[in-house]
Amino acid sequence: MAKSKHYPIAVLPGDGTGPEVVNEGIKVLEAAGNKHDISFEFTDFDFGGDRYLKTGETLPDSAIGQLKKFKAVYLGAIGHPDVPPGVLEVGILLKLRFSLDQYINLRPVKLYPGVDCPLKDKGPEDIDFVVVRENTGDLYAGHGGVTRKGTPYEVATQVMLYDRQMIDRCLEYAFNLTRARKEEGKPGKLTLVHKTNVIVYVGDLWYRAFMEMSEKFPDIKTEYNHVDAACMWMVKNPEWYDVIVTSNMFGDIITDLGAMIQGGMGIAAGGNINPYGTSMFEPIGGSAPKYTGKNVINPLAAIEAGRMMLKHLGESQAAKSIENAVAHICTKIKSLSAGKMGYSTSQVGDLVAEYIRKS
Ligand code: IPM
Ligand code: MN
């Protein structure tokens, strides 16, 4: 029988444990799809370290054109121990984010009940916020250079690049997200994180743009934190945060901290979003080469990435089914760390899928 909703999805399992966790994510998506009358067509792409080592090719331009035909890309992990750092990260992951203009990197930081949190006296009611990381500019934009290379006077620069519209479109997304969360009962507070006391040009641009945009959203409370202080508050008072908006580099750093307070890389997922184009969803933990092929890596982060993908596609109920199942498994699983879960990778995927079928 034909399903009422059908989604073609591009899948990039990638390197290391990427393929293992993506398998479980697909298992869970299929289970949620069956329950909610949704079908998927998954098309695999083999970009990653192995292909690079064989062919010398990272991500050909033709692939971008192909991927643009999909509304969503489901990504496992990029990173290979035999490839020098930067080649695959820049050549594949960043190239995807930039060329698909995925200008938002959305990273929820939510502690599920039953998950071990390294913060003393903090629980699920304290840790439930979202980081909106700008995803195309900043030190990532690739502006800079090197002179006098190899001499004792070598000079290197890397430019923290932003223009006003890059900031505005990111802020607009963040304000709208804060408003949408408010409608679901969240505090309706948006915190800009930067470093205006030192980064006086770019920080000031972000700050002024933020204050101007806030006038269009009088229902949203606004706050500003320097990034170093934000690291402190994320540990000391994470309950103060609802939505954080920040630039690319700061967002990269604080979301690793965020991942730790929500239980670790085993559960942390993110979405690279182009609201008008192709978005890409990924577990944020990387390829974990030492666990590859052992069936011990935690697939929950990839499953959570799948949940975010469904929500992005407008399938809120199916996404909720996955969320409920993940929350349930979090109370069953011994630890979220690879090899310590008390279950294998595929067993965790089975448990989540089974819970969705039965609930
Ligand atoms: C991330 C990663 C990437 C980044 C690397 C692998 C390029 O750390 O997704 O957070 O810096 O954005
Ligand atoms: Mn990172």
Side-chain angles (χ1 to χ4, degrees):
M1 194 183 83
K3 303 276 167 132
S4 55
K5 287 279 194 69
H6 181 75
Y7 296 103
I9 308 280
V11 182
L12 274 74
D15 300 318
T17 51
E20 293 169 63
V21 297
V22 155
N23 267 341
E24 302 315 311
I26 288 177
K27 194 187 274 179
V28 169
L29 284 167
E30 300 275 20
N34 275 330
K35 192 180 172 79
H36 295 275
D37 235 17
I38 302 163
S39 63
F40 302 98
E41 187 180 329
F42 295 105
T43 307
D44 268 20
F45 293 83
D46 66 350
F47 304 113
D50 288 328
R51 179 185 163 119
Y52 172 73
L53 290 170
K54 256 187 262 150
T55 66
E57 194 170 61
T58 47
L59 185 73
D61 292 334
S62 59
I64 302 296
Q66 278 176 285
L67 291 172
K68 275 188 180 156
K69 297 190 187 127
F70 296 84
K71 199 152 191 279
V73 179
Y74 191 42
L75 175 72
I78 296 294
H80 196 291
D82 303 336
V83 180
V87 174
L88 303 173
E89 290 85 347
V90 174
I92 300 180
L93 187 59
L94 297 185
K95 185 167 175 184
L96 283 166
R97 289 176 182 171
F98 292 170
S99 51
L100 298 172
D101 202 20
Q102 292 162 342
Y103 61 89
I104 299 297
N105 196 327
L106 192 63
R107 297 190 161 181
V109 179
K110 181 175 168 128
L111 179 68
Y112 284 113
V115 171
D116 249 352
C117 173
L119 305 183
K120 188 165 164 281
D121 301 331
K122 296 294 177 191
E125 62 289 355
D126 302 305
I127 302 175
D128 182 5
F129 62 94
V130 183
V131 178
V132 176
R133 166 187 172 189
E134 200 290 329
N135 210 28
T136 58
D138 206 339
L139 296 163
Y140 282 76
H143 277 235
V146 58
T147 54
R148 307 181 196 155
K149 189 154 187 178
T151 75
Y153 312 102
E154 178 167 344
V155 178
T157 58
Q158 193 104 25
V159 177
M160 189 176 250
L161 178 148
Y162 272 109
D163 73 22
R164 179 68 191 251
Q165 67 82 33
M166 291 162 87
I167 295 174
D168 278 340
R169 65 183 185 170
C170 175
L171 290 173
E172 187 177 25
Y173 184 93
F175 272 103
N176 279 318
L177 175 69
T178 312
R179 184 176 271 169
R181 278 171 64 92
K182 190 178 181 191
E183 278 156 19
E184 289 168 10
K186 300 280 157 62
K189 178 165 120 185
L190 179 63
T191 306
L192 171 67
V193 166
H194 212 283
K195 183 75 182 170
T196 55
N197 54 345
V198 174
I199 301 171
V200 293
Y201 309 125
V202 185
D204 182 57
L205 184 56
W206 271 91
Y207 189 78
R208 275 184 292 119
F210 182 67
M211 296 317 281
E212 270 175 46
M213 182 82 60
S214 74
E215 285 166 24
K216 288 195 215 146
F217 294 85
D219 50 322
I220 301 303
K221 291 187 268 278
T222 52
E223 259 200 66
Y224 170 80
N225 287 172
H226 291 320
V227 63
D228 45 352
C231 290
M232 179 174 80
W233 300 129
M234 277 171 71
V235 170
K236 193 167 180 293
N237 295 97
E239 67 278 7
W240 287 354
Y241 293 114
D242 176 16
V243 180
I244 289 177
V245 63
T246 191
S247 62
N248 205 346
M249 187 78 258
F250 296 147
D252 175 49
I253 297 168
I254 68 169
T255 52
D256 268 26
L257 175 56
M260 286 305 117
I261 67 173
Q262 73 182 123
M265 288 301 180
I267 189 128
N272 301 275
I273 308 222
N274 176 342
Y276 313 100
T278 304
S279 297
M280 179 169 76
F281 298 84
E282 54 173 339
I284 73 176
S287 58
K290 75 173 180 185
Y291 297 118
T292 301
K294 300 204 164 101
N295 201 19
V296 296
I297 193 81
N298 189 343
L300 285 177
I303 291 168
E304 280 284 280
R307 173 185 67 74
M308 291 180 74
M309 180 166 77
L310 279 181
K311 184 142 191 228
H312 177 78
L313 292 170
E315 298 295 343
S316 300
Q317 289 196 338
K320 192 74 200 157
S321 287
I322 296 182
E323 180 170 352
N324 292 341
V326 169
H328 174 76
I329 296 318
C330 282
T331 64
K332 301 282 167 217
I333 188 169
K334 268 200 230 134
S335 157
L336 294 189
S337 303
K340 299 181 185 152
M341 301 186 290
Y343 299 101
S344 68
T345 305
S346 45
Q347 281 174 328
V348 172
D350 287 341
L351 286 169
V352 176
E354 194 181 278
Y355 188 88
I356 292 170
R357 271 193 297 274
K358 289 192 177 152
S359 60

